[in-house]
Amino acid sequence: MKLSGIHPGDSLPEVKKVITQDDINLYAEASGDYNPIHVDEAFAAQTPLGGTIAHGMLVLGYMSDMLTCAFGRHWLSAGKLAVRFKTPARPKDTITISGKINAADHKEGASQISCSVEARNQRGEAIITGEATVKY
Amino acid sequence: MGFLSKTGSNKPLGQLEDKPIPLKWEALAPGMELAPGEYTLDSDLVSRYIRAVTGEAGKNCNPEFVPPLAIAAYAMTGLGSALELPAGTIHAAQEVDFLRPVPVGSVIKSHGRVAQKVERGKLRMLTIELIAESEGGGQVLSGRATLILPA
């Protein structure tokens, strides 16, 4: 997004993902995070969570991907993300990642864009909530 | 974790020349430095990450720069090998600042420190501060991860 086209109240282009156990396994292989809560269905079934859950960093990866699409190289060089993982994402969940621009501050030739960001499942439950900022 | 490309060794992610003994919960204290990690974000590793996060859309992706969250993810995994985290540990919160684009092929060193350790009844929570530096010495990322450990 060009700076001139960014205005408070604007929404970022949404991303929708259906999470599968295969996606979770692929992420475990890629990241090296084989915590059994993510990849061992028998183990996870016996925990209070009752089944496997996606890595929080996988869902956050979807969010960062959305922000990279929105802000391009600015996100890579001066992006900041602060989030809470509220509810686990589970296999077969449809996750919607969204963001909304809250403020665009311009001072002395530099600009900072602040957004609220969230990931919700198909029941509308918050998976991740937080804030992203990016400097231009 | 054997797929990860290491600099000069076949040691698992997050380990330098001497394999650290993973620290148990009881041994952790605020301010404690964790064993540093070192890894190369080569094109194979980055492609695996992109395929895992973007699916088919990333199959033929050949980026110039590493997705910034991949740096955080690998740094976290590296630090995870310095800690004896029980199965079922989950992520509660994450902060991350991306400080500069990281070209594919970069060697990254990650450093972690225990920022907070909370034990209240059955709740055990750990906050780790994280810094990643490129081989040239510049800081590329900083962050904090909060983990909840099972009782």
Coordinates of all heavy atoms in Angstrom, one line a residue, chain B residues 8 10 39 45 52 92-93 108 131:
Chain B
G8 N 28.7 -25.1 9.5 CA 29.8 -25.9 9.9 C 29.6 -27.1 10.8 O 30.5 -27.6 11.4
N10 N 26.6 -30.5 12.0 CA 25.3 -31.1 11.8 C 24.5 -31.1 13.1 O 23.6 -31.8 13.3 CB 25.4 -32.6 11.4 CG 26.0 -32.6 10.0 OD1 25.6 -31.8 9.1 ND2 27.0 -33.5 9.8
Y39 N 22.0 -20.4 12.9 CA 21.4 -21.1 11.8 C 21.5 -20.3 10.5 O 21.6 -19.1 10.5 CB 19.9 -21.5 12.1 CG 19.1 -20.3 12.6 CD1 18.3 -19.6 11.7 CD2 19.1 -20.0 13.9 CE1 17.5 -18.6 12.1 CE2 18.3 -18.9 14.4 CZ 17.5 -18.2 13.5 OH 16.8 -17.2 13.9
L45 N 15.5 -23.9 3.3 CA 14.8 -23.7 4.6 C 13.7 -22.7 4.4 O 12.6 -22.9 4.9 CB 15.8 -23.2 5.6 CG 15.3 -23.1 7.1 CD1 14.8 -24.4 7.6 CD2 16.4 -22.6 8.0
A52 N 4.9 -24.0 4.0 CA 4.1 -24.4 5.2 C 3.1 -23.3 5.6 O 2.0 -23.6 6.0 CB 5.0 -24.6 6.4
A92 N 1.5 -18.1 24.7 CA 0.4 -17.3 25.2 C 0.4 -15.9 24.5 O -0.6 -15.2 24.4 CB 0.5 -17.2 26.7
A93 N 1.6 -15.4 24.3 CA 1.8 -14.0 23.7 C 3.1 -13.9 23.0 O 4.0 -14.7 23.2 CB 1.7 -13.0 24.8
I108 N 22.2 -16.4 10.9 CA 21.6 -15.7 12.1 C 22.0 -16.2 13.4 O 22.1 -17.5 13.5 CB 20.0 -15.8 12.0 CG1 19.5 -15.2 10.6 CG2 19.3 -15.1 13.2 CD1 19.7 -13.7 10.5
I131 N 16.7 -12.0 20.8 CA 17.4 -11.1 19.8 C 18.0 -11.9 18.7 O 18.5 -13.0 19.0 CB 18.5 -10.2 20.5 CG1 17.8 -9.2 21.4 CG2 19.4 -9.6 19.5 CD1 18.9 -8.4 22.3

